[in-house]
Structures are given as structure tokens and as C-alpha cells.
Amino acid sequence: MLKKLLFLLAVIVCVFQGESYEKHIWAAEYPEIKVDTQKSEVIIRSQIAIDENDNYIPDESYTDQDGKEFWLKEWHIEPLYLPERKEWAVQTVDYKEVEWAAQIPEYTPITIKDKVTGQTVKRDIPIYQMEPGNEQWVPGFSFIAVFHSYDADYYQLGGKKIPFDNQKPQIKDCYTELLNEIQVDPEKYRITDAAWEGDPYVGDGGIICRNALVTGEKKVSDYHVTYGGEAILPSFQGNQCVAVYRGFNSVTDGWDQAGDHLVNSGDSTGNDKKGSWVIFRRSVVVTFSILLIIGLIVLAISLKRRLKHIKKRKEIDHEELY
């Protein structure tokens, strides 16, 4: 009797393993069939302010980034109130050929879009970070120098004497002094040429003067400026759609409902076979699990009876000896 029970249990285990092997073969043949219970439900809140009179209806299905499809099960419109809140705003601006950093605006207007309501607001945001870039010398630097006592033997500029020349101002040896006169940094500006500007004239005090146009180059830099800061978004009162989606293989959704959706789709196709396989696999697993439990219970009862019978027989043999 014990041997028969052990043989029956072995048969049940083999059949159960055979079913598992068959399940593996089916899954290999149709690899797109997946049992995913970790992500069985998706709740999507609309990012738009919905008017209750718009007859808004959410999409019937939703596909996640893994390609799994979810179907709309229920949805409703609920009121949405958002108080004033702060949101970090950032924007980068590239400025080209800037003479000095003070020319860069300290604030810049930034248009901020509310991610929930879709509304836009414009705010002035200060400089958060400024990075200098490429430096280069460019033309465009010039100024007027006035030479007094024209027609004298020389001009006096600081401690230097500039010889008189009716054709062209001879200022080659006093570039630095001229830049100091107009109070600019000699490391940022340099003189390259000079020419008389107009004819001589009589200035204040009856002094003969003549203007000279001094030209040169200036050093400019590119700046990569990041504007950033907190912007206050206004309060908002509106409505929002809350939609609940569930997948076919979801435990919450139910195997039978998922199978019906896959099988009852009109003509018999490959999808019918997939749906049938999902239901069949669950049924087989449950059935053989129950048989395995029953077999273990029967085996335990039989072993208990067998041990009791052996004990009783030993007691009888012991009594016969005495």
C-alpha cells in the first residue's frame, strides 16, 4: 500500500513538472506574453485645466515605456486648487564681444510655464552664474585728441614732447599717456593710428588748436551667463481628470476578464491562442497544486497508520514471548 502511494505521489510530481515544462515551451514560442503583476495599475492625472462643460474624456488605453498596454477602467473629474508656490527658473544667454562685464544686464525676463495648469508667467530673474569665454582684439575704438598751440615747434603731453607735423600727428611714443588721459585700461585698449580731423581753429583764450582722430582696437570677451532664481507662480482653481488604467495580466483585473478580451475578438487568430494559454496555465497550476496537497495528506495518514500497525504488532510479539 505504501509503495502504491509513493508511486502515485511520484506520478503527480512528474505531471506537475511536465506542465511547467510545457508552460516554458509555450512562453518560448510566444515571447511577447508576459505576466507582470508588479505594475498592474497606472493612475494618470491630466496636466490641463479641464472645464466641466468641455465633455472631456480620457484615452481608452495607455502604453508605458516598456510597451505594456493598459486599459481605462474608471475615471472622474475632481476639483484642483493650487496655492501660490515657488518654482526654480533658469535660462542661459550667450553674449558676444562684450567690452566689460558691467555691460551685461543684471536681470533677464524669463517665461515660465506651469507644468500642471499650462499657464505661463513672465518673471525677471537675476544673474546666477557668469563664465567668461573667448577673448579677442577687435577694431572700433576711437576718440578725439585736441592739440593746443598748433603751429608751434612741438606739443607738450605730460613729460613728453610731440614734434609738430602738418601731415600727421606724431604720437607713436605716447600711446600710454593718451590712454591715461581718457582713463581707460591700457591692457584693454590699444592705439594703432591717428590722423588730423579738420583744419586748425582758434580755441578759448585765442589759442590755436587742431583735433586729431585717434583710432585703435579694444579687447572683448564672450560671456556665458546663467540666470536663475525662484519665481512665484500664482494660485490656481480648476478641475483635473483622474484616470485609472489596468493591464490584461493584472491580478486586480482578473484572469478571466483578460482572457475574454484576448479570445473573444472575432475570428480565430494567433491572439486567441495566446488568451486561451493564459487561462489554461492558471487552471492547470491550481489543479495540480490541489492534487499535490491531497497526495501529501493521504501519504501522511497512511504512514501514521503504518507506524501504528507496526507498533501494535511488536506489542503482540512481545506478549507471546512471555
Side-chain angles (χ1 to χ4, degrees):
M1 178 65 179
L2 180 60
K3 292 182 178 181
K4 291 182 179 180
L5 289 174
L6 291 174
F7 176 75
L8 177 60
L9 180 61
V11 170
I12 293 174
V13 172
C14 291
V15 171
F16 180 76
Q17 291 180 347
E19 185 277 331
S20 298
Y21 176 75
E22 179 185 1
K23 176 184 67 177
H24 175 75
I25 295 299
W26 274 78
E29 186 177 358
Y30 299 98
E32 67 275 14
I33 299 177
K34 297 180 181 179
V35 180
D36 184 3
T37 58
Q38 295 181 352
K39 192 177 181 183
S40 59
E41 185 176 275
V42 176
I43 299 177
I44 298 180
R45 295 179 178 270
S46 64
Q47 296 182 348
I48 59 175
I50 300 172
D51 190 341
E52 290 183 336
N53 299 323
D54 287 345
N55 296 322
Y56 177 84
I57 299 178
D59 296 334
E60 294 183 357
S61 64
Y62 166 77
T63 303
D64 65 8
Q65 59 183 4
D66 297 326
K68 183 177 178 181
E69 195 171 20
F70 297 81
W71 293 87
L72 181 64
K73 295 302 175 184
E74 57 184 82
W75 65 277
H76 63 276
I77 301 295
E78 63 181 30
L80 173 67
Y81 173 75
L82 297 177
E84 284 189 355
R85 57 213 181 279
K86 295 180 179 179
E87 182 171 318
W88 180 263
V90 63
Q91 180 174 310
T92 59
V93 181
D94 290 322
Y95 294 96
K96 301 294 185 180
E97 300 184 359
V98 179
E99 288 189 53
W100 59 88
Q103 292 179 313
I104 298 176
E106 295 184 3
Y107 289 82
T108 189
I110 298 180
T111 301
I112 306 167
K113 184 176 182 179
D114 193 322
K115 298 177 181 178
V116 177
T117 65
Q119 293 179 317
T120 58
V121 294
K122 184 175 287 188
R123 296 288 183 267
D124 289 335
I125 305 300
I127 292 177
Y128 177 73
Q129 187 177 17
M130 184 166 58
E131 300 176 1
N134 181 51
E135 290 185 337
Q136 57 181 325
W137 289 96
V138 298
F141 168 58
S142 65
F143 63 95
I144 298 294
V146 181
F147 289 81
H148 300 278
S149 299
Y150 177 76
D151 206 16
D153 292 336
Y154 60 86
Y155 303 101
Q156 189 76 30
L157 181 60
K160 289 186 177 182
K161 295 180 179 180
I162 303 173
F164 169 76
D165 188 334
N166 190 41
Q167 300 299 321
K168 185 175 183 179
Q170 299 299 319
I171 59 173
K172 185 176 181 181
D173 295 331
C174 55
Y175 286 165
T176 301
E177 287 77 7
L178 284 171
L179 293 174
N180 289 332
E181 285 290 327
I182 62 174
Q183 298 180 350
V184 296
D185 188 354
E187 294 184 359
K188 294 286 186 178
Y189 299 87
R190 62 190 181 190
I191 298 172
T192 58
D193 198 7
W196 294 117
E197 181 83 358
D199 298 325
Y201 62 93
V202 179
D204 296 338
I207 299 175
I208 299 176
C209 304
R210 192 173 188 182
N211 296 340
L213 176 63
V214 182
T215 58
E217 296 177 330
K218 55 187 177 181
K219 182 184 285 186
V220 296
S221 300
D222 297 337
Y223 286 89
H224 182 76
V225 181
T226 301
Y227 293 89
E230 287 185 337
I232 298 178
L233 299 178
S235 61
F236 173 80
Q237 178 70 56
N239 298 291
Q240 187 180 50
C241 176
V242 180
V244 180
Y245 295 83
R246 296 194 183 103
F248 286 154
N249 294 340
S250 166
V251 176
T252 307
D253 202 32
W255 290 88
D256 294 339
Q257 184 175 351
D260 292 340
H261 184 90
L262 290 173
V263 176
N264 299 330
S265 58
D267 299 334
S268 176
T269 61
N271 290 335
D272 300 345
K273 195 171 186 180
K274 297 173 189 176
S276 300
W277 173 78
V278 172
I279 300 175
F280 170 76
R281 190 188 69 168
R282 180 175 179 271
S283 301
V284 169
V285 171
V286 173
T287 302
F288 282 106
S289 298
I290 294 174
L291 290 177
L292 180 60
I293 294 173
I294 294 174
L296 291 174
I297 294 173
V298 173
L299 177 60
I301 295 173
S302 301
L303 289 174
K304 184 177 181 180
R305 290 180 178 178
R306 179 70 174 175
L307 291 174
K308 186 183 291 187
H309 177 71
I310 293 173
K311 182 178 179 181
K312 186 174 181 181
R313 186 164 184 175
K314 286 183 178 181
E315 291 176 353
I316 294 174
D317 294 340
H318 182 74
E319 292 177 355
E320 289 179 353
L321 289 175
Y322 293 98

